[in-house]
Amino acid sequence: MIIGSHVSFGSEQLLGSVKEALSYQASTFMFYTGAPQNTMRKKIDRHLTEEAKKIMKENGIDIKNVICHAPYIINLANKKDLEKWQFSINFLKQELERCDELGISYLVLHPGSAVGYPINEALQNIVDALNIVLETDFSCLILLETMAGKGTECGKNLDEIAYLIQNTHKSIGVCLDTCHLNDAGYEMKEFSEFLDLFDQKIGIEKIKCVHVNDSKNLLASHKDRHANIGYGTIGFENLLNICYNEKLKDVPKILETPYVGDSWESKEKKYPPYRFEIAMLREKKFNENLLQSIQEYYNK
Ligand code: FE
Ligand code: FE
Ligand code: ZN
């Protein structure tokens, strides 16, 4: 199983990401090229990239499985403020350029929020933007993420994702997010039925990444709050089934579960859970003392 988590990019850029991923015993990872909430980006440092690639090779991480995530503030759906829409388009182009520079194959993108637009117009705005971005050829492929449908989020069902893919002139892929799918109303305990439906509407070969997250909320809640693996409403067995689905066996699985604190309820979240969640999924064994395992490890 190709599995990792989101990690930071930081001052050592890709090299820092690789080191963090290795500290979780991950076989891949996902990073943002800067803070996910803003668009301040540093120039890619070629030496750090080379060093990162060397360490990846030594540790059996195939760069083809490494994922980049575009910042949340890119919104291709809303063009009421044309300048902002144009900014999103330009930023997305630069992000794809950075991915090509780094040698990264996939960039995950939230399709966008409709804000005041009716859904069909919002979807068309996204298509128009993607077609402008993809006038340039990039090696890196955009993956549209399936969304929970919080607020006016687009991409909350397979028909919306299908529309975007079928109307964009160049090839794009999809990133499934199990928490978002649950919150959007797709039953994750019937994952193979979901995949059949996906295959009919979009084509299973479009799936290039899976975000494996449990959910704090019920089916169709449209909330989007991630829970730790096995500690949410989807549950360990269902997430395990998804991770080991034969049809997605070569697709990288990425955890975006919350950091934990001194208790499940504590406001201060300081310890990453990934090392232990990856171990649970690899060993196919639920750790009912997850919180204690993480605290002990990081307090040593
Ligand atoms: Fe995302
Ligand atoms: Fe996600
Ligand atoms: Zn989410």
Side-chain angles (χ1 to χ4, degrees):
M1 180 172 40
I2 305 153
I3 187 165
S5 68
H6 77 107
V7 296
S8 58
F9 194 64
S11 58
E12 282 196 312
Q13 301 192 347
L14 197 62
L15 179 60
S17 306
V18 178
K19 287 179 182 167
E20 186 179 341
L22 291 173
S23 81
Y24 305 145
Q25 301 188 312
S27 50
T28 189
F29 59 91
M30 180 177 83
F31 65 95
Y32 293 79
T33 58
Q37 315 83 355
N38 70 43
T39 52
M40 284 175 25
R41 296 295 183 265
K42 283 214 204 91
K43 214 178 151 343
I44 302 298
D45 180 312
R46 196 182 303 162
H47 297 289
L48 291 172
T49 306
E50 286 314 310
E51 188 61 20
K53 285 183 181 164
K54 197 179 127 214
I55 295 186
M56 276 190 253
K57 212 170 209 168
E58 285 167 8
N59 287 279
I61 296 181
D62 189 340
I63 196 162
K64 282 195 190 70
N65 296 321
V66 174
I67 312 284
C68 181
H69 196 309
Y72 312 138
I73 45 135
I74 291 185
N75 188 2
L76 304 180
N78 178 11
K79 64 190 226 193
K80 250 184 205 125
D81 184 338
L82 258 184
E83 221 165 282
K84 265 195 194 156
W85 188 66
Q86 196 61 54
F87 177 86
S88 289
I89 289 172
N90 288 336
F91 191 84
L92 182 56
K93 268 193 203 166
Q94 290 162 22
E95 199 73 336
L96 287 161
E97 272 163 27
R98 276 187 283 271
C99 285
D100 278 359
E101 245 182 286
L102 289 162
I104 300 297
S105 303
Y106 301 114
L107 176 67
V108 172
L109 174 71
H110 294 180
S113 288
V115 193
Y117 282 90
I119 184 66
N120 57 327
E121 285 179 39
L123 292 173
Q124 192 54 49
N125 291 342
I126 299 169
V127 166
D128 292 344
L130 289 172
N131 282 332
I132 295 171
V133 168
L134 296 173
E135 275 167 12
T136 311
D137 281 315
F138 296 101
S139 305
C140 181
L141 191 74
I142 293 175
L143 308 183
L144 296 175
E145 182 164 354
T146 60
M147 302 309 289
K150 188 172 75 178
T152 61
E153 272 173 358
C154 304
K156 59 190 175 295
N157 60 52
L158 297 186
D159 293 311
E160 292 181 14
I161 299 279
Y163 180 88
L164 297 173
I165 290 189
Q166 283 150 17
N167 289 285
T168 300
H169 303 323
K170 297 262 181 75
S171 170
I172 45 178
V174 178
C175 171
L176 301 179
D177 184 310
T178 56
C179 168
H180 298 175
L181 287 171
N182 171 81
D183 292 14
Y186 292 102
E187 187 60 91
M188 289 296 95
K189 69 173 175 258
E190 282 141 30
F191 189 69
S192 54
E193 286 83 347
F194 168 80
L195 274 190
D196 290 342
L197 186 70
F198 189 100
D199 197 34
Q200 275 169 37
K201 289 187 188 270
I202 296 166
I204 198 166
E205 72 287 349
K206 292 284 184 193
I207 303 172
K208 305 293 188 192
C209 179
V210 180
H211 289 168
V212 180
N213 302 307
D214 216 325
S215 173
K216 290 196 170 148
N217 291 286
L218 293 173
L219 188 72
S221 60
H222 304 295
K223 284 284 209 301
D224 188 8
R225 290 185 65 221
H226 302 185
N228 291 101
I229 301 301
Y231 288 82
T233 57
I234 300 175
F236 187 69
E237 287 304 318
N238 293 321
L239 292 169
L240 203 58
N241 276 332
I242 294 168
C243 287
Y244 285 94
N245 188 292
E246 218 15 62
K247 291 178 179 163
L248 301 181
K249 81 174 185 329
D250 299 324
V251 174
K253 316 292 185 309
I254 302 289
L255 302 165
E256 303 172 296
T257 49
Y259 274 41
V260 302
D262 294 322
S263 70
W264 285 119
E265 288 74 36
S266 83
K267 287 269 180 289
E268 208 195 346
K269 306 286 188 197
K270 38 189 176 177
Y271 312 120
Y274 308 120
R275 182 187 175 92
F276 293 90
E277 292 180 328
I278 288 170
M280 280 202 286
L281 292 167
R282 278 219 186 99
E283 292 157 18
K284 303 186 182 182
K285 195 171 172 292
F286 181 60
N287 178 354
E288 44 186 53
N289 298 312
L290 181 66
L291 184 63
Q292 291 92 315
S293 304
I294 297 166
Q295 288 167 346
E296 273 169 36
Y297 183 79
Y298 288 101
N299 274 323
K300 67 181 183 258

